[in-house]
Each structure stands twice: as C-alpha cells, then as structure tokens.
Short mmCIF file of all heavy atoms in Angstrom, two decimals:
data_model
loop_
_atom_site.label_atom_id
_atom_site.label_comp_id
_atom_site.label_asym_id
_atom_site.label_seq_id
_atom_site.Cartn_x
_atom_site.Cartn_y
_atom_site.Cartn_z
N ASP U 23 7.96 17.41 9.61
CA ASP U 23 7.51 18.33 8.58
C ASP U 23 5.99 18.40 8.67
O ASP U 23 5.26 17.41 8.42
CB ASP U 23 7.95 17.80 7.18
CG ASP U 23 7.49 18.70 6.06
OD1 ASP U 23 6.67 19.58 6.25
OD2 ASP U 23 8.02 18.48 4.92
N VAL U 24 5.44 19.56 9.07
CA VAL U 24 4.04 19.66 9.33
C VAL U 24 3.17 19.54 8.08
O VAL U 24 1.94 19.42 8.20
CB VAL U 24 3.67 20.97 10.09
CG1 VAL U 24 4.43 21.06 11.42
CG2 VAL U 24 3.92 22.20 9.19
N THR U 25 3.82 19.54 6.91
CA THR U 25 3.00 19.35 5.67
C THR U 25 2.84 17.88 5.33
O THR U 25 2.19 17.57 4.36
CB THR U 25 3.69 20.06 4.48
OG1 THR U 25 4.96 19.43 4.17
CG2 THR U 25 3.95 21.55 4.79
N ASP U 26 3.38 16.97 6.14
CA ASP U 26 3.33 15.55 5.91
C ASP U 26 2.49 14.89 7.00
O ASP U 26 2.91 14.87 8.17
CB ASP U 26 4.75 14.98 5.87
CG ASP U 26 4.82 13.50 5.51
OD1 ASP U 26 4.08 12.72 6.09
OD2 ASP U 26 5.65 13.15 4.63
N GLN U 27 1.36 14.33 6.65
CA GLN U 27 0.45 13.78 7.63
C GLN U 27 1.11 12.61 8.41
O GLN U 27 0.93 12.51 9.62
CB GLN U 27 -0.84 13.25 6.97
CG GLN U 27 -1.90 12.75 7.97
CD GLN U 27 -2.39 13.86 8.88
OE1 GLN U 27 -2.86 14.92 8.40
NE2 GLN U 27 -2.33 13.66 10.18
N ALA U 28 1.87 11.78 7.73
CA ALA U 28 2.48 10.64 8.41
C ALA U 28 3.46 11.13 9.47
O ALA U 28 3.56 10.56 10.59
CB ALA U 28 3.20 9.74 7.42
N GLN U 29 4.23 12.19 9.15
CA GLN U 29 5.15 12.76 10.12
C GLN U 29 4.44 13.41 11.33
O GLN U 29 4.92 13.29 12.45
CB GLN U 29 6.10 13.72 9.47
CG GLN U 29 7.06 13.07 8.47
CD GLN U 29 8.14 14.05 8.01
OE1 GLN U 29 8.72 14.77 8.81
NE2 GLN U 29 8.44 14.01 6.72
N VAL U 30 3.34 14.05 11.04
CA VAL U 30 2.57 14.67 12.13
C VAL U 30 2.00 13.58 13.04
O VAL U 30 2.03 13.69 14.27
CB VAL U 30 1.42 15.54 11.57
CG1 VAL U 30 0.49 16.00 12.64
CG2 VAL U 30 2.04 16.76 10.87
N ASP U 31 1.49 12.51 12.43
CA ASP U 31 0.97 11.39 13.26
C ASP U 31 2.08 10.78 14.12
O ASP U 31 1.85 10.49 15.29
CB ASP U 31 0.39 10.30 12.35
CG ASP U 31 -0.88 10.74 11.66
OD1 ASP U 31 -1.49 11.74 12.09
OD2 ASP U 31 -1.27 10.10 10.63
N ALA U 32 3.29 10.60 13.54
CA ALA U 32 4.39 10.08 14.29
C ALA U 32 4.81 11.03 15.39
O ALA U 32 5.18 10.57 16.53
CB ALA U 32 5.55 9.78 13.36
N MET U 33 4.78 12.32 15.12
CA MET U 33 5.12 13.33 16.17
C MET U 33 4.12 13.24 17.31
O MET U 33 4.46 13.19 18.51
CB MET U 33 5.09 14.70 15.54
CG MET U 33 5.33 15.85 16.53
SD MET U 33 3.82 16.56 17.18
CE MET U 33 3.11 17.32 15.75
N ALA U 34 2.81 13.19 16.97
CA ALA U 34 1.78 13.15 18.02
C ALA U 34 1.94 11.92 18.92
O ALA U 34 1.68 11.98 20.14
CB ALA U 34 0.40 13.16 17.35
N ALA U 35 2.34 10.80 18.31
CA ALA U 35 2.49 9.56 19.08
C ALA U 35 3.59 9.65 20.13
O ALA U 35 3.61 8.83 21.06
CB ALA U 35 2.75 8.41 18.14
N GLN U 36 4.52 10.63 19.96
CA GLN U 36 5.63 10.77 20.90
C GLN U 36 5.31 11.73 22.06
O GLN U 36 6.12 11.89 22.98
CB GLN U 36 6.85 11.27 20.17
CG GLN U 36 7.37 10.31 19.13
CD GLN U 36 8.54 10.91 18.36
OE1 GLN U 36 9.58 11.18 18.92
NE2 GLN U 36 8.37 11.11 17.07
N LEU U 37 4.12 12.28 22.06
CA LEU U 37 3.75 13.31 23.05
C LEU U 37 2.91 12.71 24.18
O LEU U 37 2.25 11.70 23.96
CB LEU U 37 2.97 14.43 22.35
CG LEU U 37 3.74 15.25 21.30
CD1 LEU U 37 2.83 16.17 20.55
CD2 LEU U 37 4.88 16.02 21.96
N PRO U 38 2.93 13.35 25.34
CA PRO U 38 2.13 12.85 26.46
C PRO U 38 0.63 13.00 26.18
O PRO U 38 0.18 13.76 25.28
CB PRO U 38 2.56 13.74 27.63
CG PRO U 38 3.14 14.95 27.00
CD PRO U 38 3.75 14.53 25.70
N ALA U 39 -0.16 12.32 26.96
CA ALA U 39 -1.61 12.34 26.74
C ALA U 39 -2.25 13.71 27.07
O ALA U 39 -3.36 14.00 26.58
CB ALA U 39 -2.27 11.27 27.67
N GLN U 40 -1.57 14.50 27.87
CA GLN U 40 -2.07 15.84 28.19
C GLN U 40 -1.05 16.91 27.88
O GLN U 40 0.14 16.75 28.17
CB GLN U 40 -2.42 15.93 29.68
CG GLN U 40 -3.53 15.00 30.14
CD GLN U 40 -3.89 15.20 31.59
OE1 GLN U 40 -3.45 16.16 32.26
NE2 GLN U 40 -4.71 14.30 32.13
N LEU U 41 -1.50 17.95 27.16
CA LEU U 41 -0.63 19.08 26.85
C LEU U 41 -1.26 20.39 27.37
O LEU U 41 -2.50 20.49 27.37
CB LEU U 41 -0.45 19.16 25.32
CG LEU U 41 0.30 18.04 24.60
CD1 LEU U 41 0.18 18.20 23.10
CD2 LEU U 41 1.74 17.99 25.07
N ASP U 42 -0.43 21.31 27.69
CA ASP U 42 -0.90 22.60 28.19
C ASP U 42 -0.91 23.69 27.08
O ASP U 42 -1.78 24.55 27.12
CB ASP U 42 -0.06 23.08 29.39
CG ASP U 42 -0.17 22.14 30.58
OD1 ASP U 42 -1.25 22.18 31.21
OD2 ASP U 42 0.76 21.35 30.79
N VAL U 43 0.04 23.60 26.19
CA VAL U 43 0.14 24.67 25.18
C VAL U 43 0.57 24.04 23.83
O VAL U 43 1.47 23.20 23.79
CB VAL U 43 1.22 25.70 25.56
CG1 VAL U 43 1.39 26.72 24.42
CG2 VAL U 43 0.81 26.45 26.84
N LEU U 44 -0.09 24.46 22.75
CA LEU U 44 0.39 24.23 21.41
C LEU U 44 0.62 25.57 20.76
O LEU U 44 -0.36 26.35 20.63
CB LEU U 44 -0.57 23.40 20.56
CG LEU U 44 -0.31 23.38 19.07
CD1 LEU U 44 1.06 22.77 18.77
CD2 LEU U 44 -1.40 22.62 18.33
N PHE U 45 1.86 25.86 20.40
CA PHE U 45 2.19 27.11 19.71
C PHE U 45 2.42 26.83 18.24
O PHE U 45 3.49 26.24 17.88
CB PHE U 45 3.35 27.79 20.36
CG PHE U 45 3.79 29.08 19.67
CD1 PHE U 45 2.85 30.02 19.34
CD2 PHE U 45 5.13 29.36 19.40
CE1 PHE U 45 3.22 31.22 18.72
CE2 PHE U 45 5.48 30.53 18.80
CZ PHE U 45 4.54 31.49 18.43
N ASN U 46 1.51 27.17 17.39
CA ASN U 46 1.63 26.93 15.95
C ASN U 46 2.42 28.07 15.34
O ASN U 46 1.91 29.08 14.93
CB ASN U 46 0.22 26.88 15.32
CG ASN U 46 -0.46 25.55 15.55
OD1 ASN U 46 0.05 24.52 15.16
ND2 ASN U 46 -1.65 25.62 16.12
N ASP U 47 3.75 27.82 15.25
CA ASP U 47 4.63 28.84 14.68
C ASP U 47 5.07 28.48 13.25
O ASP U 47 5.43 29.37 12.49
CB ASP U 47 5.87 29.01 15.60
CG ASP U 47 6.93 29.90 14.96
OD1 ASP U 47 6.67 31.11 14.89
OD2 ASP U 47 7.93 29.38 14.54
N ALA U 48 5.10 27.20 12.91
CA ALA U 48 5.62 26.79 11.63
C ALA U 48 4.87 27.55 10.50
O ALA U 48 3.65 27.52 10.43
CB ALA U 48 5.48 25.30 11.42
N GLY U 49 5.64 28.22 9.63
CA GLY U 49 5.02 29.01 8.60
C GLY U 49 6.07 29.71 7.82
O GLY U 49 7.30 29.46 7.99
N GLY U 50 5.69 30.64 6.96
CA GLY U 50 6.67 31.38 6.18
C GLY U 50 6.10 31.99 4.95
O GLY U 50 4.96 31.67 4.54
N ALA U 51 6.89 32.91 4.35
CA ALA U 51 6.48 33.58 3.13
C ALA U 51 7.52 33.23 2.02
O ALA U 51 8.69 33.10 2.29
CB ALA U 51 6.45 35.07 3.33
N PHE U 52 7.00 33.07 0.82
CA PHE U 52 7.83 32.78 -0.34
C PHE U 52 7.45 33.74 -1.48
O PHE U 52 6.37 33.65 -2.03
CB PHE U 52 7.64 31.35 -0.76
CG PHE U 52 7.88 30.35 0.30
CD1 PHE U 52 6.82 29.75 0.95
CD2 PHE U 52 9.17 30.02 0.73
CE1 PHE U 52 7.01 28.80 1.98
CE2 PHE U 52 9.38 29.13 1.78
CZ PHE U 52 8.32 28.54 2.39
N GLY U 53 8.35 34.62 -1.82
CA GLY U 53 8.12 35.56 -2.90
C GLY U 53 7.28 36.75 -2.49
O GLY U 53 6.58 36.76 -1.49
N GLN U 54 7.40 37.83 -3.30
CA GLN U 54 6.60 39.04 -3.12
C GLN U 54 6.35 39.68 -4.47
O GLN U 54 6.76 40.79 -4.72
CB GLN U 54 7.26 39.99 -2.14
CG GLN U 54 6.32 41.11 -1.67
CD GLN U 54 6.94 41.97 -0.57
OE1 GLN U 54 7.55 41.43 0.35
NE2 GLN U 54 6.74 43.26 -0.65
N GLU U 55 5.69 38.98 -5.33
CA GLU U 55 5.38 39.46 -6.68
C GLU U 55 3.91 39.86 -6.78
O GLU U 55 3.06 39.34 -6.06
CB GLU U 55 5.68 38.41 -7.74
CG GLU U 55 7.16 38.05 -7.85
CD GLU U 55 7.63 37.06 -6.78
OE1 GLU U 55 6.79 36.26 -6.32
OE2 GLU U 55 8.81 37.15 -6.38
N ASN U 56 3.63 40.78 -7.73
CA ASN U 56 2.26 41.07 -8.03
C ASN U 56 1.55 39.83 -8.52
O ASN U 56 2.18 38.89 -9.03
CB ASN U 56 2.18 42.16 -9.10
CG ASN U 56 2.61 43.53 -8.53
OD1 ASN U 56 2.89 43.68 -7.35
ND2 ASN U 56 2.70 44.49 -9.43
N VAL U 57 0.25 39.80 -8.40
CA VAL U 57 -0.51 38.62 -8.81
C VAL U 57 -0.24 38.19 -10.28
O VAL U 57 -0.10 37.02 -10.57
CB VAL U 57 -2.02 38.82 -8.54
CG1 VAL U 57 -2.83 37.66 -9.07
CG2 VAL U 57 -2.31 39.01 -7.08
N GLU U 58 -0.14 39.21 -11.14
CA GLU U 58 0.06 38.86 -12.55
C GLU U 58 1.41 38.17 -12.83
O GLU U 58 1.57 37.50 -13.83
CB GLU U 58 -0.07 40.11 -13.43
CG GLU U 58 0.97 41.19 -13.19
CD GLU U 58 0.76 42.42 -14.00
OE1 GLU U 58 0.24 42.27 -15.13
OE2 GLU U 58 1.06 43.54 -13.55
N ASP U 59 2.32 38.33 -11.89
CA ASP U 59 3.64 37.73 -12.01
C ASP U 59 3.86 36.58 -10.99
O ASP U 59 4.97 36.10 -10.85
CB ASP U 59 4.75 38.79 -11.81
CG ASP U 59 4.64 39.93 -12.84
OD1 ASP U 59 4.46 39.58 -14.04
OD2 ASP U 59 4.73 41.12 -12.44
N ALA U 60 2.83 36.21 -10.29
CA ALA U 60 2.98 35.30 -9.15
C ALA U 60 3.44 33.90 -9.57
O ALA U 60 3.03 33.41 -10.59
CB ALA U 60 1.68 35.22 -8.41
N ASN U 61 4.27 33.34 -8.74
CA ASN U 61 4.68 31.93 -8.87
C ASN U 61 3.67 31.12 -8.02
O ASN U 61 3.77 31.11 -6.79
CB ASN U 61 6.09 31.73 -8.40
CG ASN U 61 6.55 30.29 -8.49
OD1 ASN U 61 5.75 29.36 -8.47
ND2 ASN U 61 7.88 30.10 -8.56
N LEU U 62 2.73 30.50 -8.61
CA LEU U 62 1.64 29.82 -7.87
C LEU U 62 2.14 28.58 -7.14
O LEU U 62 1.51 28.14 -6.19
CB LEU U 62 0.48 29.48 -8.79
CG LEU U 62 -0.22 30.71 -9.41
CD1 LEU U 62 -1.46 30.29 -10.20
CD2 LEU U 62 -0.63 31.73 -8.35
N ASP U 63 3.29 28.05 -7.58
CA ASP U 63 3.90 26.97 -6.79
C ASP U 63 4.29 27.47 -5.40
O ASP U 63 4.21 26.76 -4.41
CB ASP U 63 5.13 26.38 -7.53
CG ASP U 63 4.76 25.55 -8.73
OD1 ASP U 63 3.58 25.10 -8.81
OD2 ASP U 63 5.58 25.43 -9.64
N GLU U 64 4.79 28.73 -5.36
CA GLU U 64 5.12 29.32 -4.04
C GLU U 64 3.88 29.60 -3.26
O GLU U 64 3.88 29.43 -2.03
CB GLU U 64 5.95 30.56 -4.23
CG GLU U 64 7.35 30.24 -4.79
CD GLU U 64 8.25 31.49 -4.83
OE1 GLU U 64 7.74 32.60 -4.87
OE2 GLU U 64 9.50 31.28 -4.76
N TRP U 65 2.80 30.01 -3.86
CA TRP U 65 1.55 30.18 -3.15
C TRP U 65 1.10 28.86 -2.57
O TRP U 65 0.64 28.80 -1.37
CB TRP U 65 0.48 30.70 -4.12
CG TRP U 65 0.54 32.12 -4.47
CD1 TRP U 65 1.66 32.86 -4.63
CD2 TRP U 65 -0.59 32.99 -4.76
NE1 TRP U 65 1.31 34.17 -4.99
CE2 TRP U 65 -0.05 34.27 -5.07
CE3 TRP U 65 -1.98 32.80 -4.76
CZ2 TRP U 65 -0.86 35.36 -5.38
CZ3 TRP U 65 -2.79 33.90 -5.08
CH2 TRP U 65 -2.22 35.15 -5.40
N ASN U 66 1.22 27.79 -3.30
CA ASN U 66 0.85 26.50 -2.81
C ASN U 66 1.71 26.09 -1.59
O ASN U 66 1.19 25.57 -0.61
CB ASN U 66 0.99 25.44 -3.91
CG ASN U 66 0.48 24.08 -3.47
OD1 ASN U 66 -0.63 23.93 -3.00
ND2 ASN U 66 1.33 23.07 -3.66
N LYS U 67 3.00 26.35 -1.65
CA LYS U 67 3.87 26.10 -0.53
C LYS U 67 3.44 26.84 0.72
O LYS U 67 3.41 26.32 1.81
CB LYS U 67 5.32 26.46 -0.87
CG LYS U 67 6.02 25.49 -1.77
CD LYS U 67 7.36 25.99 -2.27
CE LYS U 67 8.30 26.38 -1.12
NZ LYS U 67 9.60 26.90 -1.63
N MET U 68 3.07 28.14 0.52
CA MET U 68 2.62 28.93 1.68
C MET U 68 1.32 28.39 2.27
O MET U 68 1.13 28.34 3.48
CB MET U 68 2.44 30.41 1.24
CG MET U 68 3.75 31.11 1.07
SD MET U 68 3.59 32.88 0.80
CE MET U 68 3.13 32.97 -0.94
N TYR U 69 0.41 27.96 1.39
CA TYR U 69 -0.88 27.42 1.86
C TYR U 69 -0.64 26.10 2.60
O TYR U 69 -1.20 25.85 3.67
CB TYR U 69 -1.83 27.25 0.72
CG TYR U 69 -3.29 27.18 1.21
CD1 TYR U 69 -4.02 28.29 1.38
CD2 TYR U 69 -3.86 25.94 1.43
CE1 TYR U 69 -5.36 28.26 1.83
CE2 TYR U 69 -5.17 25.87 1.89
CZ TYR U 69 -5.91 27.02 2.10
OH TYR U 69 -7.18 26.91 2.53
#
C-alpha cells in the first residue's frame, strides 16, 4: 500500500540495487461533487 511508509520500505528492500524503470501508476479518483458539497475525506484519500 503506497500510502503506508513501512510497506513502501519493505517493498524497496525486496528490489535489486539497480532499476531501469519506475512507473508510478497507483492512484485514483473518489467522488465528483462541487466544492460546496465535497467530501474532504475523499479529497484526503486522493492526495
């Protein structure tokens, strides 16, 4: 889970010393409301 530093550290420890490509694809959208109706918890998840 890329939102968890400990898990990212554990992931990195399993990788070789040299890498050729990192493709940062993990992401997503949550909700599509106007700002006045926004669920800021979903904004936080997106960030």
Side-chain angles (χ1 to χ4, degrees):
D23 180 346
V24 301
T25 68
D26 185 311
Q27 185 65 54
Q29 291 190 43
V30 171
D31 292 341
M33 177 268 293
Q36 298 176 62
L37 296 171
Q40 297 184 9
L41 295 171
D42 295 286
V43 175
L44 167 59
F45 179 46
N46 281 303
D47 172 72
F52 306 102
Q54 191 172 320
E55 294 81 30
N56 290 355
V57 174
E58 64 182 329
D59 301 314
N61 180 336
L62 297 185
D63 288 337
E64 290 188 336
W65 283 34
N66 185 53
K67 283 170 59 179
M68 286 189 280
Y69 200 86

